[in-house]
Structures are given as structure tokens and as C-alpha cells.
Amino acid sequence: MGNSRVTVREIARLAGVSVATVSRVSNGTGQVSEEMRRRVLDAIEKYGYRPDHLGRALAARRHGALGLVFPGLSGPYFTELIQGFESEAVPARASVHILCTHLREDSDDQVLEMARRVDGVAVVGGTISDPALLRLAEMVPVVVLAGRGPETVPSVSVDNAPAMARLTRHLLVDHGLRDLAFVGNPDGSPDVSERWAGFRDAYRELDLDPPAEPVRVAMQQPDGVLAAERLLTGGAAPQAVVCANDEIALGVLVGALGRGLRVPEDLVITGFDDAPMAALVAPPLTTVRQPIRDLAAEAARSILTAVDAPGAAAPDSIVLPTEFVVRRSCGCPAESPTGGTGK
Amino acid sequence: MGNSRVTVREIARLAGVSVATVSRVSNGTGQVSEEMRRRVLDAIEKYGYRPDHLGRALAARRHGALGLVFPGLSGPYFTELIQGFESEAVPARASVHILCTHLREDSDDQVLEMARRVDGVAVVGGTISDPALLRLAEMVPVVVLAGRGPETVPSVSVDNAPAMARLTRHLLVDHGLRDLAFVGNPDGSPDVSERWAGFRDAYRELDLDPPAEPVRVAMQQPDGVLAAERLLTGGAAPQAVVCANDEIALGVLVGALGRGLRVPEDLVITGFDDAPMAALVAPPLTTVRQPIRDLAAEAARSILTAVDAPGAAAPDSIVLPTEFVVRRSCGCPAESPTGGTGK
DNA sequence: TTGAAAGCGATACCAA
DNA sequence: TTGGTATCGCTTTCAA
């Protein structure tokens, strides 16, 4: 593990200058004569000097790192999330720490521990408790990603409820369906909770009684298969299955097709997210497009800003728009009109 | 951002002791009298002191962080990978830095930059160049995850080639199939390259001519759909599609089913990984089970060990076994014998 | 057992 | 323009 052993002091000695000068040259700050600069640059080059991150961070009292906390789910959603976050962090020369709280007990503590190693944190909605969020917020800038925290903590999310209400209304009104099942666990995340609320809102707006309970499963394809099992076995299959995300919907689709049902003729299925597969399955999925990358990028940007402006007030929470995407799985004809916006 | 402002020195002053004593108490090192300890503990408690990570890291010349570098693909594979890695890192009090090199140009540089911020790095095979890997290895302990690097860099991988040969032989011999297509890009990752090699080996062992070219696509479900399009449109559809992973296989399955083909009657499809969905689709997927979490955990462990023993020789590369999982999609009857091991 | 002081590696202020 | 030096927050000899 050779080279990185060389420090400013060594370079200073080797180049016959002071450490201050080396620092100036290596950072491009201050005024340095051409001759000094050459001498220093040569030494730096020759001995392969690269400033140590820790020394620099300690002096600057800044880690140059951002934290991203999520439950640990899989799927295209989190990939997009991570990449969107990185797309802002990397150019800002901030490294990204991740923490999958998964099902761990001590996740609150771990998040707090992470806060000591980064300049700011984005927490995916529903992963840690509100008290922990509050304590976190008094240590570093925090933003809740896809969800909302306590009043004082800014958040970045999408218009889940109206979007889901819009989709549900389409099924209720345009297709005249009445018996819809909602699949997803509202207690699992704010996103799902809001979508479930929007789903029920659509019923109420039409003076209809919404289902009392959702089919509570997690957010991945296998969970959709599981939901299909529960819903399609035995007597009362619904007319349509409204899923909390596309992955569940894909699972339900697989389950339905596997049982010999025709979609959408025998069963309507809808998703949420507009994941890449949504347009590729047969039939293509009617869903709601959600700007996941933008969401995460916005979160990163928001934190970065807060880090740079320590005094400033917490940024406002922002809500990004979604887009209703009508395809075949809801029963619309292939050449359906392209849907309106989420509102 | 209140409390974290309190330092050892403050606590020392407040408790009327030296900073050395505070440090000893807060780390539980050295001998401290009961009275001192109480005084210090009280002050720590009262002012909410928590040692600063940077100060501590600088003094210890250790970051307390591990890096994980991957291409940025999605899907269950990487989720498992991250979680397996974390499962070892977190208990060791090491935070996890991630870097998705994705399609970025400067990924070699970014990995090198990451190396300055962590104590060791795991690099998923195929994400950065060998020269970069070598330079990385002289800065920090490195292990290649799912693949192999230059001779001197240890790696953790599975027996891809034999496993894929085993599966292919099953198709060739037990099912008497001859016209198989391989889907996946051997240039994309060592894993795929080895699987492609194993696929061809199986043919040669039987004195058969293997296909000259694979169907080159990426590793996600949509890529499988794409492959199905290429393979099943026009004249010469193969008898079987051997996929580089389950996600591709799922995509191919969706594509095949969408075209009205029956699987496995009209088309045999196999996967690799044994992802959760593999057992849940209809028909369930014949595949190769791969211990992804173990793989990543092993990598983390290996790095952690190397970090603790700076002098020691690089650990050996290790190869984990896989398991052949026979299900319906290869044409075996539902109650098929459970397959043997990968060897 | 306790404390003073010397680092760890880099930045930045203040003089010169 | 340059250099000396204090500082960032903590750990760890080395004496007392």
C-alpha cells in the first residue's frame, strides 16, 4: 500500500518551500509565483502527492459526503433513486454513504451514527421514527425523500394522492368498474399511505363506498404474486387490482396470467411508477409516471444547498407532479388517448 | 444544528480533568478511577458529547468506512449484494460508501478518489479497468466481487462456468435439445463471460458445435423482452433460450408468453441466480442458485481482515459453489427430482 | 491513575 | 508573494 504516505510537509521540504505554499498550489488558492508553483508541482508529481481527505476534512470541518437512508427494498425504484442522488452528489465532489435500515432494530441509532460522518442526509419516507428524524435534523441538514417528516423537516415527494385518485376515477367512471382491490401496505411507507388515501378519495367523490382494507403486502414482484394468490383464489375476485407500484402489478399480472385469466378482459390491473417493464409486458400496464431520479436529485441538491448556507432557513418542501399513463391493462384500447397529468 | 459542537476539551474543562482522561473514559481504554469516570460520564451525558468522527479517524489514520463499487444495474442481484456487504460492515462499525460507475467516462478516477476516503474497496467485476484496479490495490485493500482482477488482486466469485455447463448439458442430454440460444453480454461482466464459456463447453464436451454468438443484451428484465423480440420474430426461433440471469429470463418469458408461445412446450427458458421470482412465475424457472449475499459478505469480511492486518499477504481468492435448480421451464415435469450441485 | 504535550494531515490567518 | 504557526478534534505516548 505504497504511495499515499506522502504529506504536505514532505512535499514542502522536498520542494524547499513552506507547507502553506504547497497547500496554495495544490488548491489553486492565493497567489503563488510561477517559479514556486513549478517547484511544488514537480514535487507533487514526482512523489505522487494527493492531499489526505481526512486532514482536509478536519480542517474544513466538512466531510464531503452525503448520506442516503432507505429501507433496503430492491427493484428499479431504488436504483433510480440512488442514481438520481449520485448525479448531484458526485459533481459536487461529495461521496455517498448508504444505509439500508431493512428490518434492523437499531436503525434509529445507526442513522444518528451516520449523521456524524456526513454533511447532510436524505431519508426515504417511513424508514425511521419522527423523533429520530428530529434529532437527526439538529445535527445535519436533512430532507425526507418520498414522504413527509415533522413540520420542520423539509421533504421532496410527488402528488401521490391526487394521482392515484385520478387513476382510480378512470377505472370507476370511464370503465364503469366498481369492485376494485388496492394492493400495498399503507403502513409501510408514506407513498403507499397517500396512494391508498387517493384511492379511497376517488370512491367518495362519487358517493361510493371504498373498500375498507387494502391487501397488505410489500413492494416487490413476489409480493404481487402473493397478492394475486389471495385475491384470485376462492370466490370473490375483484374486477380490478390497483397496485401501489408497478412491481406489485407485474407480480399480480404474472399470477393472473398463470391462472389462465385474460387481462384486461377478465381482470384489470394497474401500477404506479412507470418502471421500464410497465410498457413492455403484455398487456402494457396503465400506471402513473413518477420522476424518481428528479426526486432524488432534488433532494441531494436541497441538502447541498443547506450545507453551503449553514445559517439559512430550512428549504421549503417540494412536491413534484406525476403523469397518468393509460395503456392496455385498464381495458382501454391499444391506441388509447395519452392520459392527462396527475392532477 | 445544535449540540454536536462540544469537544473533548470542553468536556475536560467542564469535568475538571484532562482531555486524555476524557478520551480514556469515552473509549473505555486504559485505567481510570471510579471517581474520575463518574465525573467524566456525567459531563458527557449532560452536554451530549459524542466524539467527532473526523478527529478520531485522523488520529487513528483509519476512515471506518468501506467502499462498494458497482456498475449501477438494478434488480434483486444488487440489492442482495449491498445487503450482504452491509451485513458485515455495519457490525464492524464501518460505514458503506457506494459508487455506481454506470456509464460514466471518468469512473476510474472516481474509484481512485473513493479510495482516499475509505479503508478498503470491493469492486464488482467488470466495472473498472485492470490498471485502475492495480493502482487501487496499492492504495487500499481491494477485492473483486463476482469476477477476477489481475493475479495479485484477490476475488470472490462463484463457479459460473461449471454451473452453466451443467445446466446446458441438462438441456442437451436430458432433453435432447440442440438449438439453444445464449442471452447476455459476455463483454459486460466476468460473470456473463464465464457463463457463456460454460455454455459452449457443454457443447464441446459432446462434440457438438456451440452457437458462435450470444444475443448481447444487458441484465435486466426489459433486456430480456428485447432479446425475445430478436429471437422469436422472423423465422428461426431456437428450441431453448439460456439466459445469463433470471431477470433476462423473466423478460424472455414475458415476451414469449405475450406472443402466444407455450413454455416449455414451444420454447424452453432457463435463468441464473434463483431470484425470488424464479420460483413464482408460471412455469417456474429452471436456474442456478447463487449465494449472492454470502458472496458480498465474504468480500466485506476479506477487506475488513486485510484492513486489520496491514502487513499480511493478500488473502486467497475464493470461489463459492452454486446449486442447479430444476423446475418446469426446462421441460422437466412438475415433480422433478431436485437437481444436484453446480459441479 | 492522571496530565502535558506531541502528533495525525491539511488549511488559513497574520506577519514579514 | 512567502513562511511561521495556530487550529481542527481526538488519541496516545511519556512522565509525574
Side-chain angles (χ1 to χ4, degrees), chain A residues 116-172:
Chain A
R116 319 186 51 54
R117 302 169 176 230
V118 298
D119 300 316
V121 181
V123 181
V124 171
T127 47
I128 63 172
S129 67
D130 270 16
L133 218 37
L134 253 10
R135 289 182 54 196
L136 191 62
E138 56 188 34
M139 302 178 67
V140 292
V142 176
V143 39
V144 175
L145 192 42
R148 334 187 124 270
E151 196 58 50
T152 55
V153 181
S155 63
V156 184
S157 54
V158 300
D159 56 359
N160 283 307
M164 186 52 104
R166 169 84 164 81
L167 180 152
T168 307
R169 213 178 307 130
H170 176 67
L171 265 26
L172 255 18

Side-chain angles (χ1 to χ4, degrees), chain B residues 111-174:
Chain B
V111 171
L112 260 12
E113 171 58 31
M114 166 187 261
R116 318 187 53 64
R117 302 169 175 229
V118 298
D119 300 316
V121 180
V123 181
V124 171
T127 47
I128 63 172
S129 69
D130 270 15
L133 218 38
L134 252 11
R135 290 182 53 196
L136 191 62
E138 57 188 32
M139 301 178 67
V140 293
V142 176
V143 39
V144 175
L145 193 43
R148 334 189 124 268
E151 197 58 50
T152 54
V153 180
S155 63
V156 184
S157 54
V158 300
D159 56 357
N160 283 305
M164 187 54 104
R166 168 83 164 81
L167 179 151
T168 308
R169 212 179 307 132
H170 176 67
L171 264 26
L172 256 19
V173 177
D174 302 337

Side-chain angles (χ1 to χ4, degrees), chain B:
Chain B
M1 324 281 113
N3 67 11
S4 212
R5 278 279 64 98
V6 43
T7 76
V8 239
R9 251 173 296 261
E10 316 247 13
I11 296 296
R13 190 171 52 72
L14 263 11
V17 303
S18 75
V19 297
T21 299
V22 174
S23 176
R24 287 193 269 259
V25 172
S26 102
N27 292 311
T29 63
Q31 301 287 297
V32 182
S33 70
E34 195 46 43
E35 198 221 318
M36 291 275 123
R37 149 166 281 109
R38 270 256 61 80
R39 287 231 299 271
V40 173
L41 250 22
D42 286 350
I44 287 183
E45 172 72 18
K46 182 167 174 189
Y47 298 94
Y49 167 74
R50 300 279 284 126
D52 176 83
H53 182 70
L54 286 176
R56 172 179 284 193
L58 181 57
R61 289 214 245 82
R62 173 191 274 235
H63 295 82
L66 259 34
L68 181 56
V69 181
F70 47 81
L73 305 181
S74 94
Y77 183 83
F78 288 91
T79 306
E80 287 287 302
L81 207 67
I82 292 179
Q83 292 184 355
F85 198 76
E86 268 208 337
S87 74
E88 286 294 318
V90 169
R93 316 190 54 78
S95 59
V96 177
H97 288 218
I98 56 163
L99 185 63
C100 312
T101 60
H102 208 45
L103 301 171
R104 258 178 255 142
E105 283 301 318
D106 53 347
S107 49
D108 282 8
D109 287 344
Q110 292 187 349
V111 171
L112 260 12
E113 171 58 31
M114 166 187 261
R116 318 187 53 64
R117 302 169 175 229
V118 298
D119 300 316
V121 180
V123 181
V124 171
T127 47
I128 63 172
S129 69
D130 270 15
L133 218 38
L134 252 11
R135 290 182 53 196
L136 191 62
E138 57 188 32
M139 301 178 67
V140 293
V142 176
V143 39
V144 175
L145 193 43
R148 334 189 124 268
E151 197 58 50
T152 54
V153 180
S155 63
V156 184
S157 54
V158 300
D159 56 357
N160 283 305
M164 187 54 104
R166 168 83 164 81
L167 179 151
T168 308
R169 212 179 307 132
H170 176 67
L171 264 26
L172 256 19
V173 177
D174 302 337
H175 291 288
L177 269 16
R178 281 298 171 271
D179 183 18
L180 319 183
F182 180 94
V183 180
N185 184 357
D187 300 327
S189 83
D191 271 345
V192 177
S193 164
E194 290 169 18
R195 288 168 202 170
W196 165 240
F199 172 78
R200 306 188 80 200
D201 288 345
Y203 273 88
R204 297 208 194 84
E205 286 166 16
L206 300 168
D207 280 319
L208 260 26
D209 279 334
E213 279 295 319
V215 178
R216 297 177 192 271
V217 299
M219 301 287 271
Q220 303 175 234
Q221 286 183 16
D223 303 297
V225 177
L226 178 66
E229 223 156 81
R230 288 199 209 156
L231 248 17
L232 308 178
T233 318
Q239 298 176 291
V241 183
V242 175
C243 303
N245 73 357
D246 285 348
E247 292 206 76
I248 293 177
L250 257 17
V252 172
L253 180 62
V254 166
L257 261 20
R259 281 181 170 68
L261 293 176
R262 292 165 310 156
V263 178
E265 293 79 0
D266 302 328
L267 182 73
V268 160
I269 300 175
T270 65
F272 204 107
D273 280 354
D274 197 22
M277 277 300 281
L280 300 175
V281 286
L285 235 43
T286 289
T287 187
V288 174
R289 183 173 307 144
Q290 168 178 204
I292 306 174
R293 290 184 84 102
D294 293 348
L295 207 65
E298 192 58 58
R301 226 173 291 136
S302 162
I303 295 171
L304 253 6
T305 306
V307 170
D308 283 330
D316 288 332
S317 289
I318 90 172
V319 176
L320 266 28
T322 56
E323 184 186 349
F324 184 36
V325 180
V326 179
R327 298 207 181 92
R328 285 271 301 137
S329 74
C330 61
C332 277
E335 59 294 274
S336 79
T338 79
T341 68
K343 192 54 220 227

Side-chain angles (χ1 to χ4, degrees), chain A residues 72-270:
Chain A
L73 304 181
S74 93
Y77 182 84
F78 288 90
T79 307
E80 287 286 302
L81 208 67
I82 292 180
Q83 292 184 354
F85 198 76
E86 268 206 338
S87 74
E88 287 292 320
V90 170
R93 317 190 53 78
S95 58
V96 178
H97 289 220
I98 56 163
L99 184 63
C100 311
T101 59
H102 209 45
L103 301 171
R104 260 177 253 142
E105 283 300 317
D106 52 348
S107 50
D108 281 8
D109 288 344
Q110 291 186 350
V111 172
L112 261 10
E113 171 59 31
M114 164 186 263
R116 319 186 51 54
R117 302 169 176 230
V118 298
D119 300 316
V121 181
V123 181
V124 171
T127 47
I128 63 172
S129 67
D130 270 16
L133 218 37
L134 253 10
R135 289 182 54 196
L136 191 62
E138 56 188 34
M139 302 178 67
V140 292
V142 176
V143 39
V144 175
L145 192 42
R148 334 187 124 270
E151 196 58 50
T152 55
V153 181
S155 63
V156 184
S157 54
V158 300
D159 56 359
N160 283 307
M164 186 52 104
R166 169 84 164 81
L167 180 152
T168 307
R169 213 178 307 130
H170 176 67
L171 265 26
L172 255 18
V173 177
D174 302 338
H175 291 288
L177 269 18
R178 281 297 171 271
D179 184 18
L180 319 183
F182 180 95
V183 179
N185 184 356
D187 300 329
S189 83
D191 271 345
V192 178
S193 163
E194 291 168 18
R195 288 169 203 170
W196 166 239
F199 172 77
R200 306 188 80 200
D201 289 345
Y203 272 86
R204 296 206 194 87
E205 285 166 16
L206 300 169
D207 280 319
L208 261 26
D209 279 335
E213 279 296 320
V215 178
R216 297 175 191 273
V217 299
M219 302 287 271
Q220 301 175 233
Q221 286 182 17
D223 303 297
V225 177
L226 178 66
E229 223 156 81
R230 287 200 211 155
L231 248 15
L232 309 177
T233 319
Q239 298 174 293
V241 182
V242 175
C243 304
N245 73 357
D246 284 348
E247 292 208 76
I248 293 176
L250 258 16
V252 172
L253 180 63
V254 165
L257 261 21
R259 282 184 170 66
L261 292 177
R262 293 165 309 156
V263 178
E265 293 80 357
D266 302 328
L267 182 72
V268 161
I269 299 175
T270 64

Side-chain angles (χ1 to χ4, degrees), chain A residues 301-336:
Chain A
R301 226 173 292 138
S302 162
I303 295 172
L304 251 9
T305 306
V307 170
D308 282 329
D316 288 333
S317 289
I318 90 171
V319 177
L320 265 30
T322 56
E323 183 185 350
F324 183 36
V325 180
V326 179
R327 297 205 182 93
R328 283 272 302 137
S329 74
C330 62
C332 278
E335 58 293 277
S336 81

